[in-house]
């Protein structure tokens, strides 16, 4: 009730007029009523009524939350969040080393950004994830659908067919080895046609179409509630050329990032973005850094950088809220993303294998 | 700028207000700063009545001066210093986070701002048994990482792992998790609503859900403000200042420590790093800590992280050696 007028979500022109007329708190507005309000600041009765409705909604929302009602806020204690996280699934990538450094796979409700030079495998990884999100739960997947937003035109359906066929075959092998009833039942709905029909493909040609698509996505996701993955392949491409006003670009990108995190959170979906690399020329050397500037680096919660080392492809986890930074090698075969084959002779270390999810305690600086 | 209204104080009637308004006096400030004899003549109101009204309005709306000694005593009794869980960071901040102030952590992506926030929340919740409100606007809050930190901190305190002690430490960790409340806010108006709701609850002293709240963490403030800044719109700056005023008054009135995280930007692609949100925001936090990882390029891998003080009301700015981040 004591909410300041400046903190209410009204149009800026209306707010300026209210401030000039001397209104300070929401309670004063509600006391005045629509007729008095329209007379005081010189707007029509309908506009005054609309504004008062917004104010009333906000204040009622506040009061309900104060009294302990649930409302639409995303509020909970850390304990509840921990329980939620432990039951959440991951989207596996079929490359176990990559899954390990990510802590199990691509996490739901977070934004993961994949950066890399051209040709290193970003679109391949996206297509792999679009297939892997549909793996039934009895095989360790999340049994969801995928939305693929393509801005570069690099989505090849024949390649997805190859990847999907390999995935289905892999699941058949598991089912035969384990011979369980639910495996067989799940396999009935997990065929090539099903996989392809559950990938929703959108093609956006410039940044306006991309922004419009992302703003319309919540409606689409409420209709298709099984979607668990949203891939935007090439978020850098529409924003990198011909943008004269860089501050507008930063503003649009940040708005886009906020919209994506709202989608990821509300619909329990993983959002995967791919980004290009650009060169930063320093004093003595030049380095490859992800494109779109410093402020974009904060948009993604998890950042994965794919790069080359001679002829070996490497993936580095650069930013993550719960995992340590590390680099692993991977391969792209005709079946999709896979591990690098280890050498034939392996000899185990003396102690037990350390759990890759536990960060080792370092002796040097204890907190 | 409060508008004159009937019933604002005894003696201020509707007719008086109409007469005053006809002569261009609409707000309290106009009334109090005008020449009352003049006004009495123009509006044909009695001088005595106007003087009485002015006295009441002044008593109601002006600020009270306080002397320095009283202020100091009050601060001494209400300010607390919260340890952050990392002795070197405490030393950097002059023994910890001060309540009643806004502290800012800034750094490049991946430098560890969210990790430091989680560590501070864990330390305050476990060590001091105080409640923490965590406003998450980036989706970076991971409860499992927080749990890891709590486990590491209880292991420091309880060396012997007898079965009874294990169960006790587990219970302590669960309680600590329950004291941290997380609100996901992805838009600046949601942040303002959450802060308003906190203010209502604290002023009504509803202890059941909040408990003795001592800290509010906002991670990150630039994620909600950035989409509004820039271009030719100036409402972004206004909202940013509203937000800063809310945070500071909450910190001061209810003796909370407020921690915000901020991004860094560059002027050009080769310029030095500077904190985001510009000069106007730089006056809001009283203490600023810059977090950076040595070995800026991601190719070589990073293992050393450094925190340095960029702005402080109490300490001299000096570069601090690396903090071990677990």
């Amino acid at each position: 009730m004591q909410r300041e007028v400046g903190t209410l979500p009204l149009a800026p022109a209306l707010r300026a007029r209210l401030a000039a007329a001397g209104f300070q708190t929401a309670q004063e507005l509600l006391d005045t009523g629509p007729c008095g309000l329209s007379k005081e600041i010189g707007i029509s009765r309908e506009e005054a009524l609309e504004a008062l409705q917004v104010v009333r909604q906000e204040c009622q929302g506040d009061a309900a939350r104060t009294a302990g009602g649930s409302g639409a806020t995303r509020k909970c204690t850390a304990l509840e969040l921990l329980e939620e996280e432990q039951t959440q699934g991951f989207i596996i990538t079929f490359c176990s080393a990559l899954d390990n450094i990510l802590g199990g796979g691509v996490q739901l409700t977070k934004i993961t950004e994949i950066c890399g030079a051209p040709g290193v495998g970003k679109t391949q990884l996206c297509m792999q994830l679009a297939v892997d999100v549909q793996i039934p739960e009895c095989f360790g997947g999340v049994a969801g659908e995928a939305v693929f937003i393509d801005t570069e035109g690099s989505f090849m359906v024949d390649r997805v067919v190859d990847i999907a066929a390999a995935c289905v075959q892999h699941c058949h092998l598991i089912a035969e080895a384990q011979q369980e009833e639910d495996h067989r039942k799940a396999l009935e709905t997990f065929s090539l046609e099903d996989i392809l029909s559950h990938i929703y493909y959108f093609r956006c040609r410039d940044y306006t179409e991309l922004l419009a698509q992302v703003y319309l996505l919540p409606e689409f996701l409420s209709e298709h509630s099984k979607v668990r993955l949203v891939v935007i392949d090439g978020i850098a491409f529409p924003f990198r050329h011909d943008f004269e006003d860089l501050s507008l670009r930063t503003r649009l990108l940040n708005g886009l990032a906020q919209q994506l995190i709202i989608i990821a959170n509300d619909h329990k979906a993983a959002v995967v973005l791919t980004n290009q690399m650009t060169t930063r020329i320093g004093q003595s050397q030049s380095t490859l850094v992800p494109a779109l500037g410093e402020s974009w680096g904060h948009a993604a919660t998890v950042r994965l950088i794919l790069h080359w080392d001679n002829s070996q492809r490497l993936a580095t986890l650069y930013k993550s809220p719960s995992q340590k930074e590390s680099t692993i090698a991977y391969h792209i075969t005709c079946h999709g993303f896979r591990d690098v084959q280890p050498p034939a002779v392996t000899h185990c270390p003396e102690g037990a294998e350390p759990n890759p999810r536990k960060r080792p305690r370092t002796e040097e600086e204890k907190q | 700028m409060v508008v004159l209204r009937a019933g604002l104080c005894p003696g201020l009637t509707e007719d008086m207000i109409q007469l005053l308004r006809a002569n261009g006096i609409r707000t309290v400030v106009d009334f109090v700063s005008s020449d009352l004899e003049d006004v009495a003549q123009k509006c044909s109101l009695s001088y005595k009545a106007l003087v009485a009204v002015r006295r009441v309005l002044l008593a109601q709306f002006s600020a009270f001066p306080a002397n320095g000694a009283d202020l100091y005593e009050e601060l001494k009794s209400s300010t607390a210093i919260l340890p952050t869980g990392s002795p070197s960071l405490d030393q950097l901040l002059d023994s910890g986070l001060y309540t009643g102030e806004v502290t800012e952590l800034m750094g490049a992506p991946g430098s560890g701002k969210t990790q430091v926030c989680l560590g501070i929340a864990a330390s305050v919740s476990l060590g001091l048994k105080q409640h923490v409100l965590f406003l998450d606007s980036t989706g970076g809050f991971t409860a499992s990482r927080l749990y890891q930190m709590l486990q590491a901190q209880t292991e420091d305190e309880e060396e012997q792992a007898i079965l009874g002690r294990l169960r006790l430490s587990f219970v302590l960790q669960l309680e600590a998790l329950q004291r941290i409340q997380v609100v996901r806010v992805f838009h600046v108006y949601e942040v303002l609503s959450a802060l308003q709701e906190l203010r209502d609850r604290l002023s009504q002293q509803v202890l059941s859900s909040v408990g003795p709240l001592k800290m509010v963490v906002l991670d990150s403030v630039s994620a909600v403000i950035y989409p509004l800044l820039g271009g030719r719109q100036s409402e972004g700056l206004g909202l940013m200042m509203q937000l800063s005023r809310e945070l500071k008054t909450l910190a001061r009135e209810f003796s909370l420590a407020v921690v915000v995280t901020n991004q860094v930007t560059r002027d050009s692609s080769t310029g030095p790093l500077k904190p985001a949100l510009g000069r106007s925001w730089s006056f809001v936090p009283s203490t600023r800590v810059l977090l950076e990882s040595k070995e800026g390029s991601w190719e070589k891998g990073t293992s050393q992280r450094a925190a340095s003080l960029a702005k402080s009301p109490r300490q001299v700015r000096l570069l601090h050696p690396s903090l071990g981040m677990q």
Side-chain angles (χ1 to χ4, degrees), chain A residues 254 298, chain B residues 137 220-227 261-264 276-277:
Chain A
N254 280 295
H298 299 272
Chain B
S137 68
S220 72
V221 71
S222 38
V224 285
I225 302 281
Y226 245 141
T261 58
N262 196 3
Q263 300 171 4
V264 286
L277 297 180

Side-chain angles (χ1 to χ4, degrees), chain A residues 15 21 76 85 251 258 321 325, chain B residues 3 115 143-144 182 186 229 302:
Chain A
R15 254 209 301 258
C76 43
E85 274 180 28
R251 203 150 50 95
Q258 287 304 102
E325 291 172 8
Chain B
V3 175
Q115 300 294 306
S144 29
V182 181
F186 299 122
L229 287 180
T302 57

Side-chain angles (χ1 to χ4, degrees), chain A residues 156-284:
Chain A
M156 296 282 130
V157 188
D158 341 5
R159 187 70 182 124
V160 179
V161 166
D162 288 341
I163 297 179
C167 183
V168 170
Q169 204 190 20
H170 191 94
C171 291
H172 272 288
L173 287 175
I174 298 181
E176 275 168 37
Q178 299 201 346
Q179 294 287 330
E180 275 182 39
E181 190 49 49
D182 33 346
H183 284 191
R184 225 168 297 147
K185 235 190 301 187
L187 272 180
E188 287 166 23
T189 51
F190 190 61
S191 69
L192 192 58
E193 287 79 28
D194 289 314
I195 298 181
L196 291 177
S197 61
H198 289 311
I199 301 182
Y200 303 108
Y201 178 77
F202 297 94
R203 175 85 169 93
C204 296
R205 284 178 185 80
D206 60 5
Y207 76 91
T208 347
E209 281 186 38
L210 178 62
L211 285 172
Q213 189 58 52
V214 172
Y215 282 103
L216 291 175
L217 212 46
E219 278 177 35
F220 182 83
L221 291 180
S222 355
E223 288 167 28
H224 300 87
S225 56
K226 286 194 69 184
V227 172
R228 288 282 171 271
L229 175 69
V230 175
V231 178
I232 303 186
D233 187 9
I235 199 151
F237 184 64
F239 287 100
R240 279 191 82 188
H241 53 86
D242 283 350
F243 236 99
E244 303 95 21
D245 189 3
L246 279 182
S247 66
L248 176 67
R249 185 180 94 166
T250 316
R251 203 150 50 95
L252 289 177
L253 280 174
N254 280 295
L256 191 63
Q258 287 304 102
Q259 187 66 18
L260 287 173
I261 189 76
I262 293 177
I263 291 175
N265 219 292
D266 286 345
H267 301 273
K268 286 215 170 4
V271 176
V272 175
L273 313 168
T274 58
N275 197 0
Q276 297 169 355
M277 301 292 270
T278 180
T279 316
R280 180 181 301 150
I281 303 175
Q283 285 147 337
S284 51

